[in-house]
Amino acid sequence: MAMSRNLWNKKCKCPACGGEFEATRLRTSSIKVKSRESDFGSLYEAECAYFYAVTACPHCTYAARNEHFDDLRLEYEAKIREACQKLKALPADRKPGIFEPGELGAEAAVKRHELAIAFARMRFHPDLSDLAGLHMHLVWIHRFTGQAEKERQAMEAAAKAYEEFFLKGHKLPEKLGEPGVLYLIGELKRRLGQFREARQFFEKALASREIKSFPNIESMTRDRMLEAKEQMEKVQGTLPAA
Ligand SMILES: [Zn+2]
């Protein structure tokens, strides 16, 4: 099958099993963002970039985000070493059929992300920011394909992952800072219809000492907070009187 001009195949060497394979990547120059969502997701004009964000080894199934794929230091990762050895020994038909290079469907993209999440959790020191980011990708992939119920489940998992990251993370992402992470948790809760909790996180974001360094986050937080308030009043208005 002819591949879109926007895709190319990169030669990779798996850091877990040493196997060689080709992974399909989306050309950076071809990525066109149509708009940005209130939870920082992007809507794309053509290919959805999140589909191609994970590299997965067809030999041992080791998977991670493209930019972290080579980072693995196997000598510290006994669980991953063991899992990959076992998986590599399996016949090809016992492994998920999601490793072929070329255009990727949503279902394969989801499965690759789920593998990356499973391997990220196996790490001796799980990178909580990486985990939360992978869950966010699942939110956006399901939204892109219109799978509302799966999107909802992914948002639950992402909110939980970001709460854990916020509590235990060593370093919050520079682009978001403390207010951005609090805002994002709040926004996921708002989208889940948990308006009271959403507003609590928005309030925490606005009360953050760093908020003035993130004027964009501040205005997004104020807008969404108002929206959550209106949504909450609407829900209460439809409830029968006690
Ligand atoms: Zn491998």
Side-chain angles (χ1 to χ4, degrees):
M1 196 177 78
M3 208 162 72
S4 149
R5 285 191 306 124
N6 298 339
L7 301 173
W8 62 287
N9 287 340
K10 183 183 193 285
K11 282 195 190 339
C12 299
K13 191 174 178 200
C14 176
C17 76
E20 289 179 6
F21 64 97
E22 286 197 336
T24 300
R25 299 282 163 92
L26 191 55
R27 279 182 214 287
T28 319
S29 59
S30 74
I31 299 175
K32 287 190 184 70
V33 175
K34 198 157 54 177
S35 62
R36 286 207 197 278
E37 302 266 277
S38 60
D39 60 3
F40 307 122
S42 297
L43 288 174
Y44 297 98
E45 300 239 345
E47 281 94 349
C48 175
Y50 305 122
F51 281 26
Y52 299 94
V54 164
T55 302
C57 169
H59 309 292
C60 72
T61 79
Y62 176 70
R65 268 176 94 137
N66 298 343
E67 58 270 38
H68 299 312
F69 187 72
D70 295 321
D71 292 351
L72 186 71
R73 306 211 24 211
L74 208 56
E75 63 270 34
Y76 300 121
E77 305 289 357
K79 277 192 204 162
I80 293 180
R81 210 162 49 217
E82 233 171 83
C84 288
Q85 263 169 11
K86 274 188 200 151
L87 288 158
K88 195 172 185 173
L90 285 182
D93 62 355
R94 296 269 313 273
K95 294 172 199 170
I98 56 167
F99 302 108
E100 278 294 299
E103 216 159 297
L104 205 62
E107 210 177 311
V110 166
K111 284 192 178 143
R112 286 187 186 193
H113 276 80
E114 286 169 350
L115 271 179
I117 289 171
F119 280 109
R121 286 212 183 105
M122 269 184 231
R123 285 200 172 217
F124 189 61
H125 287 298
D127 178 339
L128 297 176
S129 143
D130 185 39
L131 264 169
L134 285 164
H135 281 292
M136 257 351 266
H137 277 192
L138 285 176
V139 171
W140 298 324
I141 290 172
H142 290 310
R143 186 177 303 156
F144 181 82
T145 53
Q147 304 267 355
E149 179 51 29
K150 286 183 179 166
E151 181 192 342
R152 200 191 60 75
Q153 287 168 3
M155 284 197 293
E156 296 265 13
K160 225 171 122 188
Y162 272 105
E163 281 182 82
E164 195 184 349
F165 171 44
F166 184 72
L167 290 173
K168 297 187 201 158
H170 306 290
K171 210 176 132 224
L172 297 175
E174 265 168 52
K175 266 194 279 179
L176 299 180
E178 180 181 275
V181 172
L182 288 166
Y183 161 79
L184 181 54
I185 299 169
E187 176 58 2
L188 288 167
K189 304 243 176 216
R190 188 190 68 78
R191 283 175 175 254
L192 286 163
Q194 299 160 7
F195 303 124
R196 202 175 302 274
E197 280 190 60
R199 290 179 67 194
Q200 285 167 355
F201 278 98
F202 292 149
E203 277 164 13
K204 280 188 206 167
L206 293 175
S208 164
R209 273 192 291 181
E210 291 176 32
I211 189 74
K212 291 296 166 204
S213 315
F214 297 89
N216 192 31
I217 302 269
E218 184 179 2
S219 84
M220 284 171 90
T221 307
R222 291 192 192 285
D223 288 350
R224 297 286 85 74
M225 198 156 155
L226 199 67
E227 204 176 333
K229 184 171 173 268
E230 285 167 2
Q231 284 176 302
M232 201 159 95
E233 284 165 359
K234 215 166 151 190
V235 171
Q236 280 165 350
T238 58
L239 292 175

